[in-house]
Amino acid sequence: MLCQTIKVGTECFFMGKQGCSFNGGICYPVVESCQGCGKAMTLSQGTYCQSCPEPQIKWKNGSCNLATHIKSGTEKVVKLNPLKASKRSRR
Ligand code: SF4
C-alpha cells in the first residue's frame, strides 16, 4: 500500500488500512553512516532511506548490506609478491 506518513506516495510493506504498522508508525531519518548512499532520499521532513524504515538498525552490527556507497567486505585483497612481479616485468 502507498505510504501516507513520511514517504508519501511510495509503495510500502508496512502501510495498511489502519495506517503505518512500523515501530512508532513512521520511518526514521538516515544516520551519519548513510551519507553518500544512493538510497538516501531527501524529503521536506529530512533525509530517509528508500529501502529501510530505520537506517540505524542497518548499521548496528557492521555495515549496511544495502548501501551503495561502500564496498562489501567479501572482496579479496590481492597481495603481489614483489620478486615475482619484477620477474614478470622483465619478460
Ligand atoms: S541503504 Fe543502508 S546506507 Fe543506504 S540509506 Fe539505507 S540504511 Fe543508509
Side-chain angles (χ1 to χ4, degrees), residues 30 34 37 39-40 49 52 55 58-59 64 66-67 69:
V30 295
C34 298
C37 180
K39 293 189 176 173
C49 177
C52 176
K58 301 297 284 179
W59 289 94
C64 173
L66 303 172
H69 61 312

Side-chain angles (χ1 to χ4, degrees), residues 6-54:
I6 301 286
K7 302 177 212 166
V8 178
T10 58
E11 191 63 40
C12 183
F13 171 81
F14 294 104
M15 185 54 77
K17 288 180 182 168
Q18 261 120 72
C20 180
S21 61
F22 188 69
N23 180 22
I26 55 165
C27 286
Y28 295 88
V30 295
V31 293
E32 196 178 330
S33 304
C34 298
Q35 296 297 320
C37 180
K39 293 189 176 173
M41 59 181 188
T42 304
L43 305 171
S44 57
Q45 306 96 318
T47 306
Y48 293 85
C49 177
Q50 293 172 10
S51 305
C52 176
E54 193 169 3

